[in-house]
Amino acid sequence: MVGDTGDYGQARRPDESGHRAVAQEDEVHIEAWAASREHCLAEAVAAMVECFADVSGVRPTGVGRIRLDEASDDDLLAALLDEVLYRLEEYGQVPVDVEADEAEGGLDVRLAVAGLSDVRLTGAAPTSVTWEDLRIGPGPRGWSCAVTVDG
């Protein structure tokens, strides 16, 4: 959640990062936390991928770059997750590693990707990001975000 708790509501250190995903009927609720906004966004992508694929030990076969124009933090979170879903649906690409960096006028994201056939599927891939309950922001122990994706 936004603020000073992370994994399952336990107190966390400001330099910790992580994520979790909780399945609920036809959707998955994702929470992520990190010291910076950029790392928090990367953790959110990792959480979304983990809700449908096991990418541990998978070597990337390509690199994709995304440039997101400056927008509100909520818009950046939604746009990044939407872009990941688009690449999954259109090109069959699954991020196995994510790096996000603040850039003048926006956000630069590097996605190390593998083909959908190269990962072990553990569930149905999400189809969309919902705006209800979407939030990202700083708190006393770093950045955190929450978002729900439909399955």
Side-chain angles (χ1 to χ4, degrees), residues 95-150:
V96 297
D97 187 43
V98 182
E99 292 178 9
D101 294 304
E102 187 173 358
E104 187 176 319
L107 186 72
D108 285 331
V109 181
R110 185 191 65 78
L111 300 173
V113 297
L116 190 57
S117 62
D118 296 331
V119 303
R120 186 173 67 84
L121 297 178
T122 59
T127 57
S128 64
V129 176
T130 64
W131 278 90
E132 186 176 337
D133 300 326
L134 181 145
R135 62 188 176 282
I136 181 171
R141 298 199 192 307
W143 284 73
S144 59
C145 68
V147 63
T148 300
V149 293
D150 289 331

Side-chain angles (χ1 to χ4, degrees), residues 10 45 50 76 127 139 144:
Q10 298 173 352
V45 171
E50 285 179 11
L76 283 175
T127 57
S144 59

